[in-house]
Amino acid sequence: MARFPALGHCLVLERLRRVQRRDLNKRIAFAAADVFLRIDGWRLQRPPMQIHAEMIQMFEAGTFDIAHLDPWLREFSVVAQ
């Protein structure tokens, strides 16, 4: 079974969260996570608009951190065929 590289991706997302341009960073965070997962052989199996909406909810709730991102990403990340 392939290793799930969530911690590294979550650290990237957490770092992007701290930059002041939040709206831009939301889109960058999604793109960065997707790119890193693809490089490591993973794919996100959820519609992009749903992922975006869930990310916005996490930002607004103050839960956009490693403790919440790791299990969230695991819900819909699958090893690429």
Side-chain angles (χ1 to χ4, degrees):
M1 181 173 195
R3 178 183 65 84
F4 186 78
L7 181 60
H9 304 129
C10 290
L11 292 173
V12 169
L13 294 173
E14 175 70 14
R15 179 68 182 145
L16 289 171
R17 179 187 68 83
R18 295 177 187 201
V19 180
Q20 292 181 354
R21 296 182 180 172
R22 276 182 76 173
D23 290 336
L24 177 60
N25 286 333
K26 291 172 191 171
R27 291 184 289 273
I28 292 171
F30 170 74
D34 188 40
V35 167
F36 281 115
L37 286 168
R38 286 176 185 266
I39 288 170
D40 288 335
W42 291 82
R43 297 290 180 263
L44 301 177
Q45 294 294 310
R46 189 170 281 177
M49 293 306 294
Q50 181 181 350
I51 293 171
H52 182 263
E54 292 170 359
M55 287 176 62
I56 298 300
Q57 288 174 347
M58 286 190 276
F59 272 112
E60 291 173 351
T63 58
F64 196 78
D65 54 30
I66 292 173
H68 293 91
L69 287 169
D70 181 47
W72 177 69
L73 282 171
R74 288 176 186 272
E75 287 176 18
F76 57 94
S77 298
V78 296
V79 176
Q81 302 275 333

